[in-house]
Amino acid sequence: MTEDDWLAARFEEKRDHLRTVAVRILGSPQEAEDAVQEAWIRLSRSDAGEIDNLGGWLTTVVGRICLDVLRLRRGRPEQPVEAHSPVLADSGGPDPEVEAVQAESVGLALVVVLETLTPAERLAFVLHDMFAVPYEDIAPIVGRSSGAARQLASRGRRRVQGRPELLDTDAHRQRELVTAFLAASRDGDFQALLEMLDPGVVLRADGAAADKGAARLVRGAAAVAANFSGRAAAARVALVDGVAGAVWTYRGEPQVVFRFTFDADRITEIELLGDAGYLREVELARFDG
């Protein structure tokens, strides 16, 4: 058996799993097949000898492909769910392929709910809750930290379960925290900043935010407080994908989004995100709570 034959055989062993992952993310068997085929093309062009965990590598690749597909959908005019979900198709009679997809699908009701999630929420929820993919492995797929990946999956889970995004008391307290944090930042109140931050807080910035002057990575309450003291003057409180956060705009256009992760009355993580693709996808709104 040649090396190419061996690789093809290993891929075929994973094909059904990869197709199931893609169907559950995309809701469309045709798009799922296309995603799996694209994964094979990328594998065949890679150095398989450097891949320690082929199953995990392929799941990650399929996840990234599916995320691209979801983002492309989001940029098109709205299409009916039928375009993405075989369970709504009127086949006019039994169809083995449709029945097989229905058997492995998340079901009509869940497909409809999944269509309401952002691409990143949908991917994080499906990979973690349905396939037990760790948040650490989901994070690089969606281009976020593991904490943010956890929040994405959590928001997706709440929507799927029909629960509100946040309890009113939580939302109100988080808004207060972000408002106080920005005020202390502008005023240079180091002690106030320190009191709002978890001792192990982490600040991360993506490449675009770093290009605008943000620090790439800062760890610890004292260091993060010092980093923000006397800064963030142009940032304003906003709902960021349904959670209290902030945004810096210029001439009405968002430049950097501040994503916060909370634990009770402390901020445990801050992400500064300015990537153009992310800014097109993120849902921003005024905080009226």
Side-chain angles (χ1 to χ4, degrees), residues 14 173 235:
K14 309 294 183 183
R173 179 54 186 151

Side-chain angles (χ1 to χ4, degrees), residues 160-189:
V160 167
Q161 294 173 349
R163 291 189 283 131
E165 285 294 297
L166 290 167
L167 295 174
D168 289 342
T169 53
D170 291 340
H172 181 70
R173 179 54 186 151
Q174 290 178 7
R175 179 190 182 185
E176 287 183 335
L177 269 174
V178 174
T179 301
F181 181 84
L182 294 179
S185 297
R186 288 190 290 268
D187 295 342
D189 191 337

Side-chain angles (χ1 to χ4, degrees), residues 122-163:
R122 182 167 177 163
L123 183 85
F125 167 71
V126 170
L127 288 183
H128 182 267
D129 285 38
M130 297 183 184
F131 296 98
V133 176
Y135 293 119
E136 292 77 11
D137 294 342
I138 296 172
I141 302 176
V142 294
R144 315 275 179 88
S145 69
S146 58
R150 182 187 297 274
Q151 279 197 341
L152 288 169
S154 178
R155 285 200 299 274
R157 191 179 307 118
R158 283 196 295 268
R159 292 187 186 184
V160 167
Q161 294 173 349
R163 291 189 283 131

Side-chain angles (χ1 to χ4, degrees), residues 30-285:
Q30 184 56 57
E31 287 180 328
E33 289 290 357
D34 292 343
V36 172
Q37 187 59 31
E38 175 62 23
W40 162 247
I41 292 171
R42 296 187 187 186
L43 176 62
S44 65
R45 294 173 178 171
S46 301
D47 184 353
E50 296 184 356
I51 300 174
D52 294 327
N53 180 350
L54 182 61
W57 187 91
L58 286 169
T59 299
T60 296
V61 169
V62 167
R64 286 179 173 144
I65 294 167
C66 289
L67 185 60
D68 289 342
V69 172
L70 292 174
R71 285 171 171 165
L72 283 173
R73 282 188 196 168
R74 196 174 176 87
R76 298 171 188 155
E78 288 195 15
Q79 302 177 36
V81 176
E82 288 92 331
H84 310 308
S85 175
V87 296
L88 289 177
D90 181 7
S91 61
D95 185 323
E97 181 180 355
V98 172
E99 289 179 354
V101 172
Q102 287 175 330
E104 70 181 12
S105 174
V106 291
L108 171 58
L110 188 51
V111 167
V112 173
V113 175
L114 288 176
E115 290 292 327
T116 70
L117 306 184
T118 67
E121 287 172 348
R122 182 167 177 163
L123 183 85
F125 167 71
V126 170
L127 288 183
H128 182 267
D129 285 38
M130 297 183 184
F131 296 98
V133 176
Y135 293 119
E136 292 77 11
D137 294 342
I138 296 172
I141 302 176
V142 294
R144 315 275 179 88
S145 69
S146 58
R150 182 187 297 274
Q151 279 197 341
L152 288 169
S154 178
R155 285 200 299 274
R157 191 179 307 118
R158 283 196 295 268
R159 292 187 186 184
V160 167
Q161 294 173 349
R163 291 189 283 131
E165 285 294 297
L166 290 167
L167 295 174
D168 289 342
T169 53
D170 291 340
H172 181 70
R173 179 54 186 151
Q174 290 178 7
R175 179 190 182 185
E176 287 183 335
L177 269 174
V178 174
T179 301
F181 181 84
L182 294 179
S185 297
R186 288 190 290 268
D187 295 342
D189 191 337
F190 178 82
Q191 188 58 40
L193 289 170
L194 203 59
E195 292 174 359
M196 287 180 270
L197 297 170
D198 183 84
V201 65
V202 178
L203 166 66
R204 293 183 175 88
D206 68 8
D211 288 343
K212 293 179 173 67
R216 277 279 196 173
L217 179 65
V218 181
R219 297 182 183 274
V224 172
N227 184 83
F228 274 99
S229 186
R231 304 181 67 182
R236 296 292 180 266
V237 180
L239 275 174
V240 180
D241 285 336
V243 177
V247 60
W248 166 44
T249 61
Y250 179 70
R251 294 182 177 176
E253 295 296 326
Q255 303 298 310
V256 175
V257 167
F258 296 56
R259 294 184 63 97
F260 294 84
T261 302
F262 306 93
D263 183 6
D265 288 339
R266 295 287 182 92
I267 296 168
T268 60
E269 184 174 6
I270 305 170
E271 289 185 287
L272 306 181
L273 304 168
D275 176 74
Y278 168 77
L279 293 177
R280 285 193 297 269
E281 175 191 337
V282 67
E283 294 181 3
L284 299 174

